[in-house]
Amino acid sequence: MPSDSRFAVLIDADNVSVRYIKLILDEISKDGVATYKRIYGDWTNPALVSWKSALLDNSVLPIQQYSYTSGKNSTDSAMIIDAMDILYSGQVEGFCLVSSDSDFTRLAARLRESGMTVIGMGESKTPNSFIAACNKFKYLDILSAADEEEPEEPVKPEQAKRPQPKKAARKTPAKPAKPELPKEEDPEEPKTSLRTIRRALRSIVRENSDEEDWIFIGKVGNILGKRYPDFDVRNFGFSKLTPFLDSLDMFEIKSQRKDGSASPQMYVRLKG
């Protein structure tokens, strides 16, 4: 897919936490450019107040949708109508639907029928029906947890040795202890298990390798992503496909430079 593909990013505020907004926009930038950035919710609801600064900082347009019935997600219809209007405008090549709600399953399928690339984003609780309707699906809670575990940059030696000026001790009145906030739940495991991925990889390599049983790693990743839209090596703690395949202890890996290529390409074949 060309890097300048245009995407409409449509976010269901009732089903997505504000802490994911930067991650959502960073992820879609890997596939193209977000020309539409809209978020849907009842902005008279005090529960959505935390979104205000995040929307301003990231230039996301809030769309007001009143809750006409208690207990019902009123953003669904507004988001679906806008998606179809954008589709018929012909101004985008793809959509990013951000929600953990299965109500958008038919919308994702309809957009794909019209030739759109559909990227879904949501938490691990997202139903399989919505995941399967997308070209790709990304688990925001798993990716967010992986980002938080990244080690901080080490302190430079010259900074560590530099003496810090001593400050005069000053007595301050003791502050009352703040009540502990409830901890967020740990992210669940991805829907597509490692066991399923291993079985699929064995089948893909056997069916698509050359006469000497080698296959280009990029082709492996492409086929695997089509079979399982939620597959992402970051779900399993890796940043690249090659180290992930190497960790499975299933493959021989080699690099080969083709004529005229600037860098070598990686190939794998099943051991034994």
Side-chain angles (χ1 to χ4, degrees), residues 210 214-217 251-258 264-269:
D210 60 19
W214 292 103
I215 181 173
F216 175 47
I217 280 183
F251 302 104
E252 297 176 39
I253 301 176
K254 73 171 183 178
S255 62
Q256 180 176 326
R257 189 185 299 273
K258 289 196 171 183
Q265 294 182 331
M266 305 302 293
Y267 292 80
V268 295
R269 71 178 176 186

Side-chain angles (χ1 to χ4, degrees), residues 141-192:
D141 48 345
I142 295 178
L143 298 184
S144 177
D147 285 345
E148 290 172 2
E149 291 173 1
E150 286 291 323
E152 295 182 0
E153 292 186 6
V155 178
K156 295 181 180 179
E158 58 270 19
Q159 292 177 333
K161 293 178 181 178
R162 185 181 302 162
Q164 299 296 324
K166 293 184 178 179
K167 295 183 179 179
R170 184 175 58 186
K171 293 184 179 180
T172 55
K175 294 181 179 179
K178 293 182 179 179
E180 290 187 5
L181 297 175
K183 294 182 179 179
E184 295 179 358
E185 295 182 1
D186 292 333
E188 301 175 18
E189 293 295 320
K191 294 286 194 301
T192 304

Side-chain angles (χ1 to χ4, degrees), residues 2-272:
S3 59
D4 58 350
S5 294
R6 297 166 298 177
F7 277 83
V9 179
L10 309 181
I11 305 171
D12 176 7
D14 292 335
N15 279 290
V16 175
S17 169
V18 65
R19 63 194 173 100
Y20 297 135
I21 186 64
K22 186 67 167 62
L23 177 60
I24 291 166
L25 298 177
D26 287 350
E27 286 297 314
I28 201 62
S29 69
K30 299 174 183 178
D31 295 279
V33 178
T35 54
Y36 289 83
K37 292 186 286 185
R38 297 180 181 178
I39 184 166
Y40 301 79
D42 182 359
W43 302 105
T44 62
N45 185 347
L48 299 182
V49 142
S50 59
W51 278 98
K52 183 177 179 180
S53 61
L55 301 185
L56 291 172
D57 292 342
N58 294 280
S59 187
V60 180
L61 177 66
I63 305 296
Q64 172 63 31
Q65 181 61 37
Y66 290 102
S67 298
Y68 298 112
T69 307
S70 177
K72 293 288 185 180
N73 186 352
S74 60
T75 64
D76 294 7
S77 57
M79 191 164 152
I80 291 169
I81 291 169
D82 267 12
M84 298 311 294
D85 285 344
I86 294 170
L87 170 67
Y88 291 127
S89 74
Q91 298 298 311
V92 297
E93 288 78 46
F95 284 80
C96 176
L97 305 179
V98 187
S99 179
S100 301
D101 193 343
S102 62
D103 289 349
F104 296 105
T105 299
R106 183 67 188 104
L107 173 62
R110 176 65 182 83
L111 294 173
R112 288 187 66 179
E113 288 171 0
S114 296
M116 295 288 107
T117 298
V118 179
I119 297 175
M121 296 188 193
E123 293 187 327
S124 305
K125 63 184 179 182
T126 306
N128 282 330
S129 57
F130 181 39
I131 295 172
C134 301
N135 293 94
K136 276 196 258 183
F137 190 89
K138 304 190 180 189
Y139 296 113
L140 294 173
D141 48 345
I142 295 178
L143 298 184
S144 177
D147 285 345
E148 290 172 2
E149 291 173 1
E150 286 291 323
E152 295 182 0
E153 292 186 6
V155 178
K156 295 181 180 179
E158 58 270 19
Q159 292 177 333
K161 293 178 181 178
R162 185 181 302 162
Q164 299 296 324
K166 293 184 178 179
K167 295 183 179 179
R170 184 175 58 186
K171 293 184 179 180
T172 55
K175 294 181 179 179
K178 293 182 179 179
E180 290 187 5
L181 297 175
K183 294 182 179 179
E184 295 179 358
E185 295 182 1
D186 292 333
E188 301 175 18
E189 293 295 320
K191 294 286 194 301
T192 304
S193 67
L194 184 60
R195 182 179 180 183
T196 301
I197 295 298
R198 291 174 66 95
R199 187 165 56 244
L201 283 169
R202 186 173 282 107
S203 169
I204 289 169
V205 173
R206 283 176 177 166
E207 295 169 5
N208 298 277
S209 56
D210 60 19
E211 292 80 3
E212 296 181 350
D213 299 327
W214 292 103
I215 181 173
F216 175 47
I217 280 183
K219 185 175 182 180
V220 173
N222 188 30
I223 297 174
L224 191 60
K226 289 177 180 176
R227 291 191 184 183
Y228 301 99
D230 66 333
F231 171 72
D232 191 318
V233 293
R234 293 172 296 175
N235 294 343
F236 304 99
F238 292 85
S239 59
K240 302 284 185 182
L241 181 59
T242 301
F244 170 70
L245 296 179
D246 191 29
S247 73
L248 300 178
D249 197 29
M250 295 170 54
F251 302 104
E252 297 176 39
I253 301 176
K254 73 171 183 178
S255 62
Q256 180 176 326
R257 189 185 299 273
K258 289 196 171 183
D259 296 338
S261 62
S263 57
Q265 294 182 331
M266 305 302 293
Y267 292 80
V268 295
R269 71 178 176 186
L270 291 167
K271 287 185 176 180

